[in-house]
Amino acid sequence: MPAVQLARLKTQIHALIWRFTRPHEFLESLLDLLEYYAEQGYRPGEKLLSSKRTPASFRVPALVLRQLEQQLTPVCRENPDATFPLIDVLWKDRRLEPRLLAAYLMGRVPLHDPEPVLKRLKAWCQPSVERPVLTTMLTQGCLSLRRQHFQHWLELIQTWANNPDPAFQAIALQAILPAISDREFENLPPIFHLITPLYNTTSLAVQSYLREVTESLTRRSPTETAYLIQNILSVNPTTEAIRLVRRALPAFNLELQDKLRKIITTLTPPSPPKRDAPDS
């Protein structure tokens, strides 16, 4: 792997951009570029990591991917109709970097019609998709849809949350996290409404993501999040909900921690007294 010289890399990507409207040529040139910067010892098509959730990767320096994203973003915005055919070709490649780039670019296309992105998100955001690719699709690939067509984005998330399969519920929560962290996003009430039924889940994966969502909401809006939790505990104080709230308590300030802890105490039955050992 040669050292990354930024000026040279930018020139290489600029040459790549000329093939933007010819997706198969673009992919071929992209693979050549990735192989040029690949970690030494990489063999094209070889799966370097054994985990089934990690696709084959060129293991290029992060700078290469960042520059690809930065230089291709304005091209996407200027050529939205040409971007989707390119995204589809990139997605069909089974290696990590082309799929990550496909997910990133989809979130940068201006959307007059949300349907092209909705169709791809429904097809591509599946529990079977490799974890790093799925995460990028949910954090980056949803960006334009969420900002430009919020209601369509929300309905998609609701569909995943309503799915009885916990794996899809986890996908919904992963998609919510970047929205909460986005300071341009202010419409939190629909998020509160969407996640409320999930507090009763018994799935450990869903509980883990829900705790992360709860802590993220607490950082954005602690009083409203505490109010949500009070309502959940007052309406349906299941063991799962109580356990999750207890684990999320450190995210709140001391005053709200104390208030929620008192509620939990009233809902948690006292431990039975220990029996004395029988006389021998």
Side-chain angles (χ1 to χ4, degrees):
M1 176 181 64
V4 179
Q5 297 178 357
L6 187 56
R8 178 184 178 87
L9 175 59
K10 288 183 176 181
T11 299
Q12 291 169 316
I13 296 175
H14 183 72
L16 183 66
I17 289 172
W18 284 100
R19 296 174 173 84
F20 192 87
T21 57
R22 301 190 296 277
H24 293 284
E25 291 182 27
F26 181 99
L27 175 61
E28 184 177 346
S29 297
L30 173 66
L31 295 178
D32 288 342
L33 175 68
L34 294 172
E35 188 172 351
Y36 178 80
Y37 288 105
E39 182 176 285
Q40 196 168 19
Y42 167 77
R43 294 173 185 164
E46 178 182 333
K47 197 164 187 177
L48 295 175
L49 300 179
S50 59
S51 171
K52 66 180 181 179
R53 300 306 305 275
T54 305
S57 168
F58 288 90
R59 290 186 171 181
V60 298
L63 176 62
V64 174
L65 292 178
R66 286 200 302 271
Q67 282 300 312
L68 280 165
E69 292 168 353
Q70 290 176 14
Q71 290 186 236
L72 288 171
T73 293
V75 185
C76 285
R77 291 172 177 165
E78 294 168 6
N79 302 274
D81 293 337
T83 302
F84 287 111
L86 176 61
I87 288 171
D88 290 339
V89 169
L90 293 173
W91 183 260
K92 288 177 183 177
D93 191 277
R94 300 303 302 177
R95 282 158 287 203
L96 177 64
E97 290 84 359
R99 300 193 105 194
L100 291 177
L101 188 59
Y104 183 89
L105 295 181
M106 192 164 71
R108 268 67 192 171
V109 185
L111 297 181
H112 300 296
D113 177 10
E115 190 55 35
V117 167
L118 281 171
K119 179 179 70 174
R120 288 167 175 82
L121 288 173
K122 290 174 183 177
W124 296 348
C125 293
Q126 300 290 328
S128 58
V129 172
E130 300 89 347
R131 185 167 289 116
V133 177
L134 179 60
T135 298
T136 301
M137 186 63 70
L138 295 172
T139 57
Q140 302 294 337
C142 292
L143 187 62
S144 291
L145 181 68
R146 189 182 75 236
R147 289 183 174 179
Q148 299 173 28
H149 297 277
F150 173 76
Q151 193 58 39
H152 287 87
W153 173 83
L154 186 65
E155 289 171 2
L156 175 62
I157 307 303
Q158 187 72 67
T159 299
W160 290 330
N162 291 344
N163 192 304
D165 185 347
F168 279 99
Q169 296 172 7
I171 286 175
L173 293 169
Q174 290 177 75
I176 287 171
L177 279 167
I180 300 171
S181 301
D182 185 353
R183 288 295 168 178
E184 295 183 23
F185 180 75
E186 299 290 345
N187 197 1
L188 292 178
I191 301 300
F192 289 134
H193 176 76
L194 189 150
I195 67 175
T196 295
L198 299 179
Y199 276 87
N200 299 320
T201 183
T202 58
S203 164
L204 294 179
V206 175
Q207 286 185 7
S208 177
Y209 283 116
L210 187 55
R211 176 182 173 182
E212 194 172 347
V213 166
T214 302
E215 292 171 345
S216 186
L217 284 169
T218 301
R219 288 189 288 271
R220 281 294 303 271
S221 184
T223 302
E224 288 77 6
T225 305
Y227 181 73
L228 166 74
I229 289 174
Q230 289 178 66
N231 285 342
I232 290 171
L233 295 180
S234 65
V235 173
N236 192 17
T238 63
T239 301
E240 290 76 21
I242 293 172
R243 182 186 301 118
L244 195 153
V245 171
R246 183 181 286 116
R247 290 174 176 172
L249 279 177
F252 293 90
N253 62 42
L254 292 178
E255 180 182 353
L256 291 175
Q257 280 188 45
D258 185 57
K259 186 174 183 179
L260 293 173
R261 191 174 285 109
K262 288 179 180 177
I263 295 173
I264 292 173
T265 300
T266 64
L267 296 172
T268 306
S271 301
K274 293 182 179 180
R275 295 183 178 181
D276 294 334
D279 296 334
S280 55

